[in-house]
Amino acid sequence: MEAPPGGVDDMTRLSYLHEPGVLQNLATRYELNEIYTYTGSILIAVNPFQRLPHLYDTHMMEQYKGADFGELSPHVFAVADVAYRAMINEGKSNSILVSGESGAGKTETTKMLMRYLAHLGGRSGVEGRTVEQQSNPVLEAFGNAKTVRNNNSSRFGKFVEIQFDKTGRISGAAIRTYLLERSRDTQRYKLADARSFHYLNQSSCIEVEGINDAEEYLATRRAMDIVGINEEEQEAIFRVVAAILHLGNINFAKGTEIDSSVIKDDKSRFHLNTAAELLKCDCDNLEKALITRVIVTPEEIITRTLDPASALVSRDALAKTIYSRLFDWIVEKINVSIGQDPNSKQLIGVLDIYGFESFKINSFEQLCINYTNEKLQQHFNQHVFKMEQEEYTREEINWSYIEFVDNQDVLDLIEKKGGLIALLDEACMFPRSTHETFAQKLYTTFKNNKRFAKPKLSRTDFTIVHYAGDVTYQADFFLDKNKDYVVAEHQDLLNASSCPFVAALFPALPEETAKSSKFSSIGSRFKLQLQSLMETLSSTEPHYIRCVKPNNLLKPAIFENTNVIQQLRCGGVLEAIRISCAGYPTRKTFYEFVNRFGVLAPEVLEGSNDDKIACQKILEKMGLENYQIGKTKVFLRAGQMADLDARRAEVLGRAARIIQRQISTYIARKQFVSLRRSATQLQSFVRGTLARKLYECMRREASAVKIQKNVRRHKARVSYLQLQEAAITLQTGLRAMSARKEFRFRKETKAAVHIQARWRCHRDYAHYKNLQGAALTYQCAWRQRLARRELRKLKMAARETGALKEAKDKLEKRVEELTWRLGLEKRLRTDLEEAKAQEIAKLQETLHDMQQQVEEAKAMIVKEREAARKAIEEAPPVIKETPVLVEDTEKINSLTAEALLQTERQATEAAKKEYAEAERRNEELIKKFEGAEKKIEQLQDTVQRLEEKATNMESENKVLRQQAVAISPTAKSLAAYPKSPFQLKTPENGVAPYGEVKPLPDITPISLNPKEPETEEKPQKSLNEKQQENQDMLIKCVSQDLGFSSGRPIAACLIYRCLLHWRSFEVERTGVFDRIIQTIGTAIEAQENNDKLAYWLSNSSTLLLLLQRTLKTTGAAGLTPQRRRSSAASFGRVFSGMRASPQSAGRPFLASRLMGGIGDLRQVEAKYPALLFKQQLTAFLEKIYGMIRDNLKKEISPLLGLCIQAPRTSRASLIKGSRSQANALAQQTLIAHWQSIVKILTNYLNVLKANYVPSFLISKVFTQIFSFINVQLFNSLLLRRECCSFSNGEYVKAGLAELEQWCIYATEEYAGSSWEELKHIRQAVGFLVIHQKPKKTLKEITNDLCPVLSIQQLYRISTMYWDDKYGTHTVSSEVISSMRIMMTEDSNSAVSSSFLLDDDSSIPFSVDDISKSMTEIEVTDVDMPPLIRENSGFTFLH
């Protein structure tokens, strides 16, 4: 194809690089809202005159950050990124030159550049505002004006220096301004009565459509606050501006003296007084300064009056001087606010300056502007020529004969000594010089200069031949506008102002300067500023942005070719093209050249030549000359591309004729075959008609026979059915009678069995309760006996020393209390047994009554049966003696059966009522029985708590006994008692109330036997040291990789069981939680070790699940419902077994807590450290999850850039014989990148599964990863035109199929909804590969093909699509227009129009989600490590 339907991104890739081709490409892209286009390294920006926010948001900045130039679609961010990367990599300052005529969008482009640079340099994130946010509102308010070409035109040049430090961070900034047009300075300001001011009403335009003056004023005030202008300074600024407006309304009339003037009228006098009041200067001195002039001579000082015309010039000069000083002060204030870095060695300069101007009337301002553009154009031409040289040098071709046309002669005409500016300054210094004398001087001086011309019939106009065209200037006001000196009277007047702000604008001049008014020229000053600017630009690496205004109506979707081509000439774009055309305008890579012109020499492709040799042979065969072949490209001279295209069209035409001939043959053959097929079908139809007639006769004969057969069969069957129905009726009656008898018998049997079962259950339960009570009584007596025996031993030990008397008293009191509690327990049990005996007696009475009622009902049923049987026995003789028909006998039998059935029904209903009443009473008794059982359970819980307290007291006694052992002579005998690790949480026994074990008070051992041997056993370690050792052992084990036991992480189960046993969740202060968290944090420091991260992800999620289902955050002390205990005897046996083992005295109910898994866990009331530990563990879980996810993203990110665009196939694919083999090989090569991604995903899945990470977390990881793949691929597709092709869509579709196969392999348990996350890229690729796109309607596309994609996304894909395989077109123009209308509506309704997707990096789950998704975990049978099993402090884990 010549060019894609949507144009090309870089116009150097156009086959025909000339003005029509450039204009057509820009118009095509502008119609598709593609406002940016490259011409080499030059960016052309066409003003869209509408909001396109999706092009400038943060997501777009991130896409262009670090991307190679030309890799993505053209954008202003790409130019800024190239400048920034060049500055960082090469250490050299860069500059970006933004030019264009008024209304082309230079200021907005500059804003976007500074925003992006602030995004890269990080200034906006630190200070909260960027350079353009600080400076632009104020500078636009005081330096912009409405012109005939733009509603908000910048009337000054601006060069922003953004300074960077060595790390690439913004360290400072500065703003330089050039040539403020003071002749148009006050058009921008509108006061309450704007039309009454002379400086505001000259343009007859007070209000601008679409601009709210109130909002603009508030924005200016806010910007002033930001840049550091305080309220007083703002008030002074507005006073000065108002004073300038009042000065403009002062008019003068002729005075009484010759060449004198006075204030014209009272209105002018009012404005004079108001201006003096605002400037805070003397009114008389102001009037005197306006209408007089002081001339200083060596002899004397002469005061001269001014005529009204001169007084008006003096008034305007004063207003311009005040405004110029005010603007300079504001710029300096902004620079101070932004802050400059004097130590910065690198900077990026952004130049926002006026473009070339050529109006009907061109004055001094246009000359300065065009002079600036001539200098910039010379710099631009040199840069473009330099790039051409670099291109030719890089390709190693001959380029020495290329000519370069310079515009130095125009610059000499303007700036050289004796040039136009010098003559203008000379004329301004002579008082008698006029514009006519100045023009005559120009005519005389430059009459032989080819760049200068004198128009006919004009005495003051002159024409300069600029690079962009001829411009005729009117010299009428050149002398007045070039003068830039301050009148001494004006200087003295404003310096003496009582307003400090005004006086600061006009500081006192040195004495020698004040005595003489030294001439100052705007042209000379501007020349010096321009030289300084060019020196700055020459020291930097330039980048160019040319802004273009598509129409003068300032409306969107209008492209005026004449206007645009003129701007391209003025912007130097066509000059750059001319330079390219002077050398080799057409450049094609070897691949593109062979792909396009390989048909001219097909024999070249059959060999094994590379692309370079193939290009050489094709050019030699065509007989072309003066071309150049570089290292990677073919360079063609102007016209050679057209010659090759003509020959290519001829070859393709011959091939088309051959194809047409073959197609014509095929069509004729097809018509013949169709005619022959029709004749055959007609013959077949005739033969079929004859055969059908014969068949109809045969069918009628067969039908008659079949009807006769069916009639005979019907008669026989009717007779048979009548006989069968009679037999069935008789059998039904007999079987029904037998079934009813069987039903009654089974019903009675079932009721009897049910009653017997209830009675046996009650009898056995009562017997069981009696045995249970006896066992409890015996156990209490036995425990009391043991306690008394222990008490006697303690008393004997206490008698041997007097030092334990106090301890003995305490033990006796506690034993008495225990005895009292046991007595209370006995009384409670006695009361309980009495209550149960009463309830059992009542139940037995009720059961006895029910049995009697049942027996009575049975007796009644038996009597009724006997009566019915007697009635039946008496009836038959009467029936037998009377001869009746069979039908009457059947009726009698049925009546008899009905009578019996009615009697039985009545009896059954009565029995049912009695049974229902008995059931109701039985239910009431069951409810009472359940209530009694609940009371019993409550009493059992009370007994359980009492026994727990008794155990605690026993542990306390053992602690006291251990203290007594150290000083008792019978220590050896008492030391044989087992030690209890249990610690009672009371201050008396040495354990702190916060759960920390505190050391016991020092007790000085009293040795009763001074000759005691030294080998006697040392005192036992304190409990807090033992607990510290246990914690150290736990941390030591956890820091190792303990692995898994039956899929359960050992470390998590070990931590949980230890914390639960130590009751760490219930203490107010402990350090074990911090040590565990520190251990986990140390283990995951190696962020690249995915196996380690997966191991701790599994452990942290399991531990968090256990904590979530165990810890209770409320203040209630109640417990979760436990399983109902089957009997009090089983509880007694469990408790007795625990009491029987001294080692279990310190862990009450631990076994019951761990029995049955998580479902049977008893919740504990968590204190603050436990809740904080849970929060920290949650944070670590989320951190580890994020680290694994980010590691996976880092691994697949480089591959995604290779997966979005298919690599170019080999030249061998063009050879007809080897096409299929080459395609198969290429397909294997193309899919390798996708297979690498699949391999990475599989590796991560295996690592996570090997560490038993919950499937819920695994699915979340891969869901977010697939979302990341979707975002990266989809955004790259929208930003790169070469990716929106048919063949590339097939490539990406094949890769997505690989991902789909991986999802199937991973199963839904681990992949989750990963495949659904690729919906955007799937639908986009599906749209690329469908055929017949022009036939698709917008409704079909949005509803059926791509329902997920937005209108902005569909519009961009549709406009960027190109078919490199079949040459088909994108959707129809009607669909494109409808999309554009919908996008405009969305933009007007403030709906976000960003077409890029966001990457969600949040944590997609909560703790509750983990708790709901994970199954219950059994922690009691986990195999503990040997280091724990061998330690005596962890026996509770066995």
Side-chain angles (χ1 to χ4, degrees):
M1 291 170 51
E2 181 68 21
V8 295
D9 296 340
D10 190 348
M11 290 192 292
T12 59
R13 294 163 51 191
L14 290 173
S15 299
Y16 301 99
L17 190 59
H18 45 56
E19 291 186 6
V22 170
L23 196 63
Q24 175 63 26
N25 189 69
L26 289 177
T28 303
R29 291 178 60 80
Y30 182 74
E31 184 180 358
L32 301 177
N33 274 342
E34 297 288 344
I35 62 175
Y36 294 113
T37 307
Y38 291 132
T39 301
S41 62
I42 306 166
L43 178 66
I44 300 176
V46 185
N47 194 340
F49 293 116
Q50 60 180 328
R51 293 171 56 254
L52 299 174
H54 61 280
L55 291 181
Y56 308 106
D57 54 13
T58 306
H59 306 297
M60 191 66 74
M61 292 183 185
E62 289 295 332
Q63 293 296 327
Y64 282 89
K65 186 176 180 181
D68 294 337
F69 187 79
E71 179 183 354
L72 304 179
S73 300
H75 203 286
V76 66
F77 293 160
V79 178
D81 191 79
V82 168
Y84 180 80
R85 302 300 167 191
M87 180 195 69
I88 296 297
N89 298 331
E90 301 174 8
K92 184 180 179 181
S93 298
N94 284 252
S95 60
I96 303 174
L97 284 69
V98 183
S99 63
E101 74 167 44
S102 179
K106 300 186 297 299
T107 303
E108 291 299 322
T109 301
T110 304
K111 291 179 184 179
M112 296 302 123
L113 287 171
M114 290 190 289
R115 276 187 57 199
Y116 185 77
L117 292 175
H119 177 75
L120 292 179
R123 184 70 173 262
S124 60
V126 176
E127 297 185 356
R129 58 182 189 270
T130 62
V131 178
E132 54 97 6
Q133 288 174 337
Q134 295 184 66
S135 62
N136 278 328
V138 181
L139 292 179
E140 288 182 5
F142 288 89
N144 288 18
K146 183 185 184 307
T147 64
V148 295
R149 295 195 171 194
N150 189 9
N151 293 333
N152 190 28
S153 176
S154 300
R155 306 319 304 162
F156 65 98
K158 179 174 61 175
F159 185 71
V160 181
E161 295 181 359
I162 304 177
Q163 300 159 347
F164 296 84
D165 57 16
K166 295 181 180 179
T167 62
R169 307 286 291 182
I170 294 178
S171 59
I175 298 176
R176 311 280 184 262
T177 58
Y178 302 94
L179 190 63
L180 173 67
E181 294 185 27
R182 293 175 289 180
S183 61
R184 293 188 279 190
D185 54 6
T186 57
Q187 278 192 9
R188 178 65 177 85
Y189 306 101
K190 291 94 177 168
L191 302 180
D193 192 12
R195 292 177 178 81
S196 63
F197 290 95
H198 174 67
Y199 285 158
L200 296 180
N201 59 20
Q202 295 182 51
S203 64
S204 301
C205 181
I206 304 302
E207 297 179 355
V208 180
E209 182 181 358
I211 296 180
N212 190 319
D213 295 331
E215 294 180 358
E216 293 289 325
Y217 174 74
L218 293 177
T220 303
R221 293 296 294 265
R222 286 193 297 268
M224 287 181 173
D225 293 334
I226 291 175
V227 299
I229 302 177
N230 56 39
E231 291 291 337
E232 296 179 359
E233 291 173 338
Q234 292 182 29
E235 185 64 26
I237 290 172
F238 292 124
R239 280 204 313 272
V240 171
V241 174
I244 293 173
L245 295 179
H246 285 287
L247 283 176
N249 280 15
I250 300 175
N251 295 317
F252 304 94
K254 290 184 178 181
T256 56
E257 300 178 3
I258 300 175
D259 292 337
S260 65
S261 58
V262 294
I263 301 301
K264 184 177 181 180
D265 49 21
D266 294 338
K267 186 176 180 181
S268 298
R269 175 69 63 180
F270 166 76
H271 288 291
L272 176 67
N273 295 334
T274 305
E277 180 182 354
L278 291 172
L279 295 174
K280 293 187 179 182
C281 61
D282 186 72
C283 182
D284 297 335
N285 292 338
L286 176 60
E287 181 181 357
K288 183 178 178 181
L290 292 176
I291 62 178
T292 62
R293 185 71 69 243
V294 176
I295 301 175
V296 181
T297 64
E299 293 81 8
E300 59 180 343
I301 299 176
I302 303 172
T303 303
R304 181 174 66 87
T305 59
L306 302 176
D307 59 6
S310 300
L312 288 176
V313 173
S314 177
R315 178 202 68 182
D316 293 340
L318 176 61
K320 294 177 181 180
T321 302
I322 295 174
Y323 197 83
S324 177
R325 296 287 182 90
L326 175 63
F327 188 78
D328 293 340
W329 182 90
I330 291 174
V331 172
E332 182 63 26
K333 192 73 175 179
I334 291 174
N335 284 333
V336 173
S337 172
I338 295 174
Q340 303 185 44
D341 183 9
N343 300 323
S344 176
K345 302 298 183 182
Q346 301 172 344
L347 63 87
I348 294 180
V350 181
L351 178 63
D352 175 12
I353 201 163
Y354 18 67
F356 190 89
E357 291 187 354
S358 178
F359 305 137
K360 292 182 179 179
I361 300 176
N362 300 287
S363 187
F364 180 70
E365 292 85 4
Q366 280 68 43
L367 178 64
C368 293
I369 290 172
N370 294 340
Y371 168 46
T372 302
N373 281 272
E374 285 285 356
K375 294 287 286 186
L376 294 176
Q377 184 61 31
Q378 183 186 42
H379 185 267
F380 174 72
N381 289 344
Q382 293 173 353
H383 176 69
V384 172
F385 188 67
K386 179 182 177 182
M387 289 192 302
E388 289 289 319
Q389 290 178 340
E390 292 177 353
E391 174 75 12
Y392 297 155
T393 303
R394 186 167 55 250
E395 293 292 331
E396 299 180 357
I397 66 173
N398 182 19
W399 50 270
S400 59
Y401 58 86
I402 298 177
E403 298 180 358
F404 171 61
V405 180
D406 200 357
N407 61 342
Q408 185 62 42
D409 51 353
V410 181
L411 296 175
D412 293 341
L413 172 67
I414 298 173
E415 68 181 3
K416 194 176 181 181
K417 186 176 181 181
L420 195 151
I421 293 179
L423 294 177
L424 180 61
D425 293 344
E426 181 182 347
C428 290
M429 288 188 290
F430 289 100
R432 297 184 179 276
S433 295
T434 62
H435 54 278
E436 293 181 355
T437 60
F438 169 65
Q440 293 301 324
K441 183 70 173 176
L442 294 179
Y443 299 155
T444 305
T445 305
F446 304 118
K447 62 180 179 180
N448 296 325
N449 195 315
K450 63 179 181 179
R451 293 285 190 171
F452 184 89
K454 176 185 178 301
K456 297 179 179 180
L457 303 177
S458 176
R459 300 180 59 185
T460 59
D461 297 353
F462 62 92
T463 301
I464 296 179
V465 181
H466 292 283
Y467 73 93
D470 300 349
V471 180
T472 300
Y473 299 94
Q474 288 72 35
D476 294 342
F477 300 99
F478 268 50
L479 299 181
D480 296 334
K481 293 181 179 180
N482 189 47
K483 295 176 182 179
D484 192 36
Y485 61 89
V486 180
V487 179
E489 290 80 357
H490 300 169
Q491 172 72 30
D492 297 338
L493 172 69
L494 297 175
N495 179 254
S497 172
S498 59
C499 177
F501 182 81
V502 177
L505 294 179
F506 293 86
L509 299 175
E511 185 176 354
E512 59 275 5
T513 306
K515 290 181 179 180
S516 61
S517 296
K518 186 178 180 181
F519 175 75
S520 176
S521 167
I522 289 181
S524 299
R525 186 161 60 89
F526 182 72
K527 177 181 175 182
L528 294 176
Q529 288 182 341
L530 187 57
Q531 289 177 354
S532 175
L533 174 63
M534 297 310 299
E535 290 175 359
T536 303
L537 294 179
S538 298
S539 64
T540 62
E541 184 68 24
H543 306 271
Y544 294 93
I545 298 178
R546 294 294 188 246
C547 298
V548 177
K549 182 170 68 173
N551 61 80
N552 292 323
L553 301 177
L554 309 183
K555 293 183 179 180
I558 299 177
F559 193 87
E560 299 176 354
N561 294 336
T562 305
N563 186 22
V564 173
I565 201 67
Q566 178 62 25
Q567 293 180 65
L568 293 178
R569 291 195 185 102
C570 296
V573 177
L574 298 183
E575 184 69 15
I577 295 175
R578 189 197 64 75
I579 293 175
S580 298
C581 291
Y584 299 97
T586 303
R587 305 160 195 183
K588 296 286 185 181
T589 62
F590 296 148
Y591 175 84
E592 293 175 349
F593 187 84
V594 174
N595 191 34
R596 183 174 180 81
F597 299 109
V599 295
L600 299 178
E603 67 278 359
V604 175
L605 304 178
E606 295 178 358
S608 60
N609 301 324
D610 59 4
D611 290 344
K612 184 175 181 179
I613 298 176
C615 293
Q616 181 73 33
K617 291 184 177 181
I618 292 173
L619 291 170
E620 290 177 355
K621 182 179 179 181
M622 294 296 103
L624 298 182
E625 298 179 354
N626 297 328
Y627 61 85
Q628 293 283 346
I629 295 182
K631 296 174 67 177
T632 61
K633 296 180 182 178
V634 175
F635 294 82
L636 301 178
R637 298 300 301 270
Q640 291 181 340
M641 186 70 179
D643 187 13
L644 290 175
D645 278 337
R647 300 187 185 186
R648 176 174 176 268
E650 183 180 354
V651 172
L652 294 178
R654 289 197 299 268
R657 286 191 292 273
I658 294 174
I659 294 173
Q660 291 173 356
R661 185 166 59 247
Q662 294 294 331
I663 290 178
S664 300
T665 302
Y666 170 75
I667 293 174
R669 171 72 177 170
K670 186 177 180 180
Q671 291 176 351
F672 166 73
V673 172
S674 176
L675 182 62
R676 185 177 61 182
R677 186 184 302 111
S678 300
T680 304
Q681 290 177 354
L682 181 61
Q683 294 172 358
S684 300
F685 176 76
V686 173
R687 295 190 186 100
T689 302
L690 296 176
R692 281 191 293 274
K693 288 183 179 180
L694 178 61
Y695 170 75
E696 182 67 22
C697 295
M698 296 174 65
R699 188 172 67 85
R700 287 179 178 273
E701 293 178 359
S703 299
V705 174
K706 191 172 183 180
I707 291 171
Q708 294 172 359
K709 179 185 66 177
N710 287 334
V711 169
R712 296 188 187 101
R713 185 185 65 178
H714 175 69
K715 290 181 180 180
R717 180 165 178 79
V718 168
S719 175
Y720 167 75
L721 288 178
Q722 289 177 352
L723 182 62
Q724 184 186 37
E725 183 179 0
I728 290 175
T729 302
L730 182 61
Q731 292 174 359
T732 300
L734 296 175
R735 289 170 183 165
M737 182 180 298
S738 175
R740 281 193 292 272
K741 290 181 180 180
E742 182 66 21
F743 170 73
R744 284 195 297 270
F745 174 75
R746 291 185 179 181
K747 186 176 179 182
E748 293 172 358
T749 304
K750 183 178 180 181
V753 171
H754 182 72
I755 294 172
Q756 292 173 1
R758 286 297 185 94
W759 163 246
R760 290 170 186 152
C761 176
H762 174 72
R763 182 189 61 192
D764 294 342
Y765 184 75
H767 180 67
Y768 165 75
K769 284 294 182 179
N770 293 334
L771 292 178
Q772 183 185 39
L776 290 174
T777 303
Y778 177 76
Q779 289 175 358
C780 291
W782 176 250
R783 291 167 190 156
Q784 185 178 10
R785 182 179 179 184
L786 292 178
R788 289 175 179 173
R789 184 183 301 169
E790 189 68 23
L791 179 61
R792 285 194 299 271
K793 291 180 181 180
L794 290 175
K795 286 181 179 180
M796 292 174 62
R799 293 192 193 99
E800 296 177 0
T801 177
L804 298 179
K805 185 175 182 181
E806 184 178 356
K808 185 187 78 170
D809 296 337
K810 290 183 179 180
L811 288 174
E812 289 178 353
K813 290 180 180 180
R814 288 178 182 168
V815 170
E816 290 177 359
E817 182 181 356
L818 179 61
T819 305
W820 177 80
R821 289 179 179 176
L822 291 176
L824 177 62
E825 181 184 351
K826 288 182 180 180
R827 288 196 299 272
L828 291 175
R829 290 178 179 174
T830 304
D831 297 339
L832 177 63
E833 290 176 357
E834 292 178 356
K836 287 193 293 183
Q838 294 176 0
E839 290 292 334
I840 291 171
K842 291 181 181 180
L843 290 174
Q844 288 178 348
E845 292 178 358
T846 305
L847 183 61
H848 183 68
D849 295 339
M850 291 179 61
Q851 288 177 349
Q852 290 180 353
Q853 292 176 1
V854 170
E855 291 177 356
E856 292 176 358
K858 286 182 178 180
M860 292 177 62
I861 292 172
V862 170
K863 291 179 180 180
E864 290 177 357
R865 287 179 180 175
E866 291 177 355
R869 188 166 51 253
K870 290 179 180 180
I872 293 172
E873 291 175 353
E874 293 175 356
V878 178
I879 296 173
K880 289 179 181 178
E881 293 177 359
T882 306
V884 293
L885 298 175
V886 177
E887 295 179 356
D888 294 338
T889 304
E890 292 178 354
K891 289 181 180 180
I892 292 172
N893 292 336
S894 63
L895 290 174
T896 304
E898 286 179 1
L900 292 174
L901 182 60
Q902 185 67 23
T903 305
E904 291 181 358
R905 283 179 181 175
Q906 292 176 356
T908 304
E909 289 177 358
K912 284 182 179 180
K913 289 180 180 179
E914 294 176 356
Y915 180 73
E917 184 67 20
E919 285 287 337
R920 183 182 60 79
R921 290 194 299 270
N922 191 21
E923 289 177 358
E924 292 178 355
L925 293 175
I926 291 173
K927 289 180 180 179
K928 292 180 180 179
F929 183 73
E930 290 177 353
E933 283 188 344
K934 291 181 180 179
K935 292 180 181 179
I936 293 171
E937 290 179 357
Q938 292 176 357
L939 293 174
Q940 290 176 349
D941 291 337
T942 304
V943 172
Q944 180 180 347
R945 288 194 293 271
L946 292 175
E947 291 179 348
E948 184 177 357
K949 290 181 180 179
T951 306
N952 295 340
M953 293 177 65
E954 182 181 351
S955 301
E956 183 180 356
N957 293 337
K958 290 185 179 182
V959 172
L960 294 174
R961 188 184 307 131
Q962 292 169 3
Q963 297 175 4
V965 167
I967 57 176
S968 174
T970 59
K972 294 183 179 180
S973 61
L974 293 179
Y977 284 91
K979 305 166 187 176
S980 173
F982 181 80
Q983 302 164 7
L984 190 63
K985 297 179 183 178
T986 56
E988 290 83 356
N989 66 347
V991 180
Y994 294 100
E996 294 290 339
V997 180
K998 67 181 182 179
L1000 295 171
D1002 294 337
I1003 300 178
T1004 305
I1006 302 174
S1007 178
L1008 298 179
N1009 187 4
K1011 296 182 180 181
E1012 185 175 359
E1014 295 181 358
T1015 59
E1016 191 173 4
E1017 183 180 358
K1018 295 182 179 180
Q1020 183 187 4
K1021 290 184 179 180
S1022 61
L1023 297 180
N1024 57 343
E1025 294 179 357
K1026 185 65 175 177
Q1027 185 177 12
Q1028 187 67 28
E1029 290 180 0
N1030 293 340
Q1031 292 182 5
D1032 294 340
M1033 181 61 66
L1034 174 64
I1035 297 302
K1036 180 180 179 181
C1037 288
V1038 170
S1039 60
Q1040 301 174 0
D1041 190 349
L1042 301 181
F1044 301 87
S1045 174
S1046 301
R1048 295 163 294 182
I1050 297 176
C1053 297
L1054 175 61
I1055 293 172
Y1056 173 74
R1057 293 186 62 180
C1058 290
L1059 295 179
L1060 189 66
H1061 172 73
W1062 296 336
R1063 298 196 175 184
S1064 300
F1065 302 128
E1066 306 173 40
V1067 300
E1068 296 288 349
R1069 185 182 305 165
T1070 180
V1072 65
F1073 294 140
D1074 294 335
R1075 298 184 65 184
I1076 294 173
I1077 290 297
Q1078 185 178 3
T1079 303
I1080 298 176
T1082 305
I1084 64 174
E1085 286 180 354
Q1087 300 184 4
E1088 304 300 329
N1089 191 344
N1090 293 318
D1091 189 68
K1092 197 72 174 179
L1093 294 177
Y1095 170 77
W1096 279 109
L1097 180 62
S1098 176
N1099 278 278
S1100 57
S1101 59
T1102 302
L1103 182 56
L1104 186 61
L1105 172 66
L1106 296 172
L1107 297 181
Q1108 178 73 7
R1109 298 185 179 180
T1110 302
L1111 301 185
K1112 181 173 61 176
T1113 58
T1114 59
L1119 301 175
T1120 56
Q1122 301 179 6
R1123 292 183 178 178
R1124 180 179 299 176
R1125 301 170 182 81
S1126 60
S1127 65
S1130 62
F1131 165 78
R1133 286 192 296 271
V1134 172
F1135 185 80
S1136 176
M1138 294 174 64
R1139 287 291 305 272
S1141 175
Q1143 299 294 335
S1144 63
R1147 49 179 184 270
F1149 311 112
L1150 181 60
S1152 63
R1153 287 188 181 186
L1154 298 179
M1155 288 177 58
I1158 299 300
D1160 297 328
L1161 283 179
R1162 166 184 158 189
Q1163 288 190 339
V1164 296
E1165 185 175 356
K1167 301 299 182 182
Y1168 174 75
L1171 298 179
L1172 180 61
F1173 173 65
K1174 180 182 175 184
Q1175 293 178 359
Q1176 292 174 335
L1177 189 63
T1178 304
F1180 266 100
L1181 173 65
E1182 295 176 352
K1183 179 181 180 181
I1184 298 170
Y1185 172 88
M1187 292 166 64
I1188 295 176
R1189 179 197 60 200
D1190 295 341
N1191 288 344
L1192 182 52
K1193 285 184 179 180
K1194 290 178 183 178
E1195 289 195 35
I1196 67 174
S1197 292
L1199 296 173
L1200 291 178
L1202 302 174
C1203 291
I1204 188 57
Q1205 184 178 4
R1208 291 170 175 169
T1209 56
S1210 173
R1211 288 286 92 228
S1213 63
L1214 296 176
I1215 303 175
K1216 185 175 180 180
S1218 61
R1219 183 181 302 272
S1220 59
Q1221 181 180 1
N1223 287 340
L1225 181 62
Q1227 186 67 19
Q1228 295 178 358
T1229 305
L1230 296 182
I1231 211 67
H1233 302 311
W1234 292 95
Q1235 291 176 346
S1236 299
I1237 294 179
V1238 170
K1239 184 178 180 181
I1240 293 174
L1241 295 176
T1242 304
N1243 292 339
Y1244 270 80
L1245 177 61
N1246 293 336
V1247 169
L1248 295 175
K1249 291 170 66 175
N1251 288 276
Y1252 296 98
V1253 176
S1255 59
F1256 171 76
L1257 296 179
I1258 298 178
S1259 65
K1260 290 296 182 182
V1261 169
F1262 289 112
T1263 299
Q1264 284 198 306
I1265 291 300
F1266 273 68
S1267 176
F1268 171 74
I1269 295 174
N1270 178 66
V1271 170
Q1272 295 298 317
L1273 294 180
F1274 187 75
N1275 289 348
S1276 299
L1277 185 71
L1278 296 186
L1279 291 174
R1280 297 167 64 176
R1281 182 181 186 82
E1282 60 272 15
C1283 298
C1284 290
S1285 63
F1286 186 91
S1287 61
N1288 196 71
E1290 292 181 331
Y1291 166 67
V1292 178
K1293 185 176 180 181
L1296 294 178
E1298 292 290 326
L1299 294 182
E1300 184 179 12
Q1301 291 298 323
W1302 183 88
C1303 291
I1304 296 174
Y1305 159 77
T1307 69
E1308 186 177 357
E1309 180 183 3
Y1310 297 105
S1313 60
S1314 300
W1315 179 244
E1316 296 299 324
E1317 295 295 329
L1318 300 176
K1319 53 189 175 184
H1320 288 86
I1321 187 63
R1322 284 163 48 201
Q1323 294 186 9
V1325 170
F1327 176 77
L1328 292 178
V1329 299
I1330 62 169
H1331 297 281
Q1332 298 182 345
K1333 292 183 181 65
K1335 295 183 180 181
K1336 302 295 182 181
T1337 63
L1338 181 59
K1339 185 176 181 181
E1340 290 177 347
I1341 296 174
T1342 55
N1343 295 341
D1344 301 333
L1345 298 177
C1346 307
V1348 177
L1349 304 186
S1350 64
I1351 291 297
Q1352 290 80 6
Q1353 296 165 348
L1354 287 173
Y1355 178 80
R1356 189 163 182 88
I1357 295 175
S1358 301
T1359 55
M1360 294 177 63
Y1361 170 78
W1362 58 290
D1363 192 347
D1364 57 342
K1365 190 171 184 180
Y1366 302 109
T1368 60
H1369 297 284
T1370 184
V1371 296
S1372 62
S1373 58
E1374 291 80 5
V1375 174
I1376 296 290
S1377 301
S1378 301
M1379 290 182 181
R1380 191 180 296 115
I1381 293 172
M1382 296 177 67
M1383 290 171 59
T1384 305
E1385 294 175 355
D1386 294 342
S1387 177
N1388 296 334
S1389 60
V1391 178
S1392 175
S1393 57
S1394 176
F1395 54 77
L1396 299 180
L1397 300 179
D1398 298 334
D1399 181 23
D1400 184 13
S1401 297
S1402 61
I1403 302 300
F1405 57 83
S1406 62
V1407 179
D1408 293 335
D1409 296 336
I1410 298 177
S1411 178
K1412 294 177 182 177
S1413 62
M1414 294 179 63
T1415 58
E1416 296 182 356
I1417 298 176
E1418 181 69 37
V1419 299
T1420 56
D1421 57 348
V1422 175
D1423 295 334
M1424 294 302 167
L1427 191 62
I1428 293 294
R1429 291 198 301 266
E1430 296 171 359
N1431 194 303
S1432 60
F1434 293 88
T1435 55
F1436 59 89
L1437 296 175
H1438 298 168

